Amino acid sequence: MSSIDDFFEEYRTTFARYDADALAALFAFPFQAVSATDDGAAITASATVDEWRPVLEGLLGMYRTLGVAEGEPLQLHSTELTEQTGSARVHWQLRRDDGSTIYEFTAVYTLARVNGAWRVAGIVHDELPKLQAALASA
């Protein structure tokens, strides 16, 4: 069985390929995202991959606009809570092809093994205000 750290290497490289279908396959459903905003939190729930894929496609489109080439996990703290569940706190840095930093954010993931493979079942993150600010200045 792969480790949570191995899963995040796959997650990172899948984002870098801009492959929405492959990325969507790394999530478990139902799925919930809690996004910190400037004035509270936004909660998104998706019951199926078909509901979540357009959200991922939108995020990838914004990443393209910003020129994101990769997300580098500056810190990754993972824990297997049980053999089938885990969590991870990741501090990400998004970079362009030239290595320059676009912005950094932190995300906490709830993970579940589905058919023997780690999948993201939930995420809490502070990316949204940073993404919006980067888009506004692009």
Side-chain angles (χ1 to χ4, degrees):
M1 281 192 252
S2 71
S3 72
I4 291 173
D5 292 356
D6 292 340
F7 169 79
F8 276 100
E9 179 59 19
E10 177 184 7
Y11 186 79
R12 182 187 73 77
T13 59
T14 303
F15 256 107
R17 289 193 325 264
Y18 283 84
D19 185 338
D21 289 331
L23 192 56
L26 298 177
F27 290 82
F29 299 93
F31 169 81
Q32 182 176 9
V34 179
S35 308
T37 66
D38 287 333
D39 56 345
I43 301 169
T44 304
S46 298
T48 67
V49 68
D50 291 332
E51 291 176 6
W52 185 237
R53 188 179 299 107
V55 176
L56 291 173
E57 289 169 347
L59 179 60
L60 291 173
M62 289 181 270
Y63 280 7
R64 276 190 188 92
T65 297
L66 294 172
V68 174
E70 70 173 339
E72 177 70 25
L74 299 178
Q75 294 179 332
L76 170 60
H77 302 286
S78 63
T79 303
E80 285 192 35
L81 303 170
T82 70
E83 201 172 297
Q84 304 301 325
T85 62
S87 66
R89 183 179 191 278
V90 185
H91 184 80
W92 294 100
Q93 182 179 72
L94 299 184
R95 296 185 190 142
R96 296 178 187 88
D97 277 329
D98 66 5
S100 63
T101 300
I102 301 169
Y103 61 85
E104 296 180 12
F105 70 98
T106 300
V108 177
Y109 300 83
T110 300
L111 303 166
R113 278 197 202 272
V114 177
N115 299 320
W118 288 113
R119 297 294 177 251
V120 178
I123 184 173
V124 176
H125 64 87
D126 66 353
E127 182 179 17
L128 196 53
K130 297 164 186 186
L131 173 62
Q132 292 168 335
L135 287 168
S137 65

